[in-house]
Amino acid sequence: MLSRGDLTNAEWAVLAPLLPTSSNRCGRWRDHRQVINGIIHRLSTGCQWRKLPERFGPWQTVHKRHQLWSADGTWERLLQHVQALADAAGDIDWNVNVDSTSIRAHQHSAGAPKRTARALKRGRTKISSHASASVPGGGGAAGEALGRSRGGLTTKIHMVADGKCRPLSLIITAGQRADCTQFEQVLEKIRVPRLGLGRPRRLPDSVGADRAYSNGVIRAYLRRRGIQHVIPEKSDSLAARQRKGSRGGRPPAFDKARYRARNTVERAVNKLKQFRAVATRYDKRGYVYLGTVTAAALLIWLRC
């Protein structure tokens, strides 16, 4: 019998063909559906792994499966597959918006040991490109996307959302990192595969962002890629341009009607934060927390 929050039969039918299968050389995988339901329960409640209900099986199995899929990019591949299905059905609004949100990190998320860094150097730990950006050093606050603020430890989620309030790409950084420094990285991470022949789609029709992203570097980047954009001009930039007179150039184009749609990324952030394990970071490892956020984004796509 399904419990509230568990995968439905339709959702399971989408994910099941893409999950890893056992080679029978190192034992059998525990039922993937049962384990994923355990991960969903933890996503929704934010409970400790060891306090998972018994119906999900051994908590160690659920925990290790989530760690493994966060490291090898399984969560990202599942998300991209669901996005590809939506794109093939014409269900993605490619007028995207970019924003970030700060996440309070629980005190238990600090103090990760540095053995991951040593294992990476020795080639013993395989971490996908999806997760490697979050593990530059392995261990320590700087290597695990933990930053300091007045409120304590924080992590920042940078996100691109489509016009229907669904995350297209995600990256995490320390909480004090400026939004504009991650604009190109999060936009470059958009990758929606084709179900048939053809390259994955990477370019949106247009991009909307707030004043935090208003600078010449970002505007030049978008012009090079031929992407229309709606980013309001900062007041100091406006004043500097006006002081120069004719030498200051023309003001950037601004579509007020298009800019009103920027609320879709804020609504996507609200959807992510409905998952308590996302709204408060409990994971010590940066790549594991990124996997947690990606798993939550996958559920949003499956259930919207």
Side-chain angles (χ1 to χ4, degrees):
M1 181 180 295
L2 295 178
S3 296
R4 182 179 181 181
D6 288 355
L7 290 174
T8 65
N9 292 333
E11 293 165 355
W12 173 244
V14 174
L15 301 182
L18 302 173
L19 297 174
T21 57
S22 173
S23 62
N24 294 323
R25 294 184 353 185
C26 301
R28 297 175 57 189
W29 288 87
R30 190 170 190 88
D31 180 45
H32 282 315
R33 188 171 184 176
Q34 181 188 34
V35 171
I36 293 176
N37 286 334
I39 294 171
I40 293 174
H41 179 83
R42 189 258 178 176
L43 274 174
S44 301
T45 63
C47 68
Q48 296 179 7
W49 289 106
R50 63 179 65 249
K51 292 185 178 179
L52 282 175
E54 293 183 357
R55 67 186 181 90
F56 300 119
W59 69 266
Q60 297 94 331
T61 300
V62 183
H63 180 210
K64 289 180 181 177
R65 191 79 55 88
H66 178 59
Q67 283 187 317
L68 175 62
W69 287 358
S70 298
D72 66 10
T74 297
W75 288 125
E76 184 184 29
R77 288 192 294 273
L78 293 174
L79 176 60
Q80 289 178 348
H81 176 71
V82 175
Q83 290 173 346
L85 293 175
D87 189 41
D91 190 39
I92 296 182
D93 183 349
W94 284 98
N95 294 304
V96 307
N97 298 281
V98 183
D99 207 350
S100 70
T101 183
S102 293
I103 301 295
R104 179 68 185 272
H106 194 272
Q107 59 183 346
H108 293 168
S109 65
K114 296 186 178 182
R115 61 176 178 268
T116 300
R118 293 195 294 269
L120 283 171
K121 291 179 181 177
R122 297 172 186 171
R124 295 182 181 178
T125 303
K126 294 182 179 179
I127 295 181
S128 73
S129 58
H130 166 70
S132 60
S134 304
V135 197
E144 303 299 344
L146 285 172
R148 287 283 180 181
S149 69
R150 291 183 179 181
L153 292 172
T154 54
T155 294
K156 185 173 282 189
I157 301 174
H158 304 264
M159 179 172 61
V160 177
D162 78 335
K164 297 185 178 181
C165 312
R166 298 171 296 188
L168 276 173
S169 66
L170 300 153
I171 61 174
I172 63 170
T173 64
Q176 76 274 11
R177 293 297 298 274
D179 294 355
C180 60
T181 61
Q182 306 303 311
F183 180 84
E184 293 186 22
Q185 289 86 336
V186 73
L187 210 62
E188 291 283 352
K189 201 174 177 184
I190 297 176
R191 186 179 182 277
V192 178
R194 312 284 186 180
L195 292 184
L197 299 177
R199 297 179 180 179
R201 176 158 184 178
R202 308 182 72 99
L203 294 179
D205 293 333
S206 67
V207 173
D210 60 20
R211 286 183 174 85
Y213 300 92
S214 178
N215 61 52
V217 175
I218 288 177
R219 294 183 192 277
Y221 166 78
L222 291 169
R223 283 195 297 268
R224 285 196 307 271
R225 302 193 72 189
I227 301 174
Q228 296 181 1
H229 58 278
V230 180
I231 304 175
E233 192 175 17
K234 291 182 179 179
S235 58
D236 56 348
S237 300
L238 174 62
R241 180 173 52 77
Q242 290 177 342
R243 282 197 304 269
K244 294 179 181 178
S246 60
R247 295 183 294 106
R250 292 178 296 178
F254 184 74
D255 185 345
K256 290 185 178 180
R258 168 65 180 86
Y259 187 70
R260 293 193 190 101
R262 198 185 64 81
N263 69 83
T264 56
V265 68
E266 296 171 350
R267 288 153 62 193
V269 167
N270 289 339
K271 287 184 178 183
L272 274 180
K273 287 189 173 181
Q274 294 299 312
F275 298 92
R276 296 193 175 194
V278 174
T280 301
R281 173 177 169 175
Y282 301 102
D283 301 305
K284 289 183 181 293
R285 296 294 183 190
Y287 74 90
V288 177
Y289 181 64
L290 182 56
T292 298
V293 179
T294 306
L298 171 64
L299 290 175
I300 291 173
W301 278 89
L302 282 172
R303 294 174 176 178
C304 283

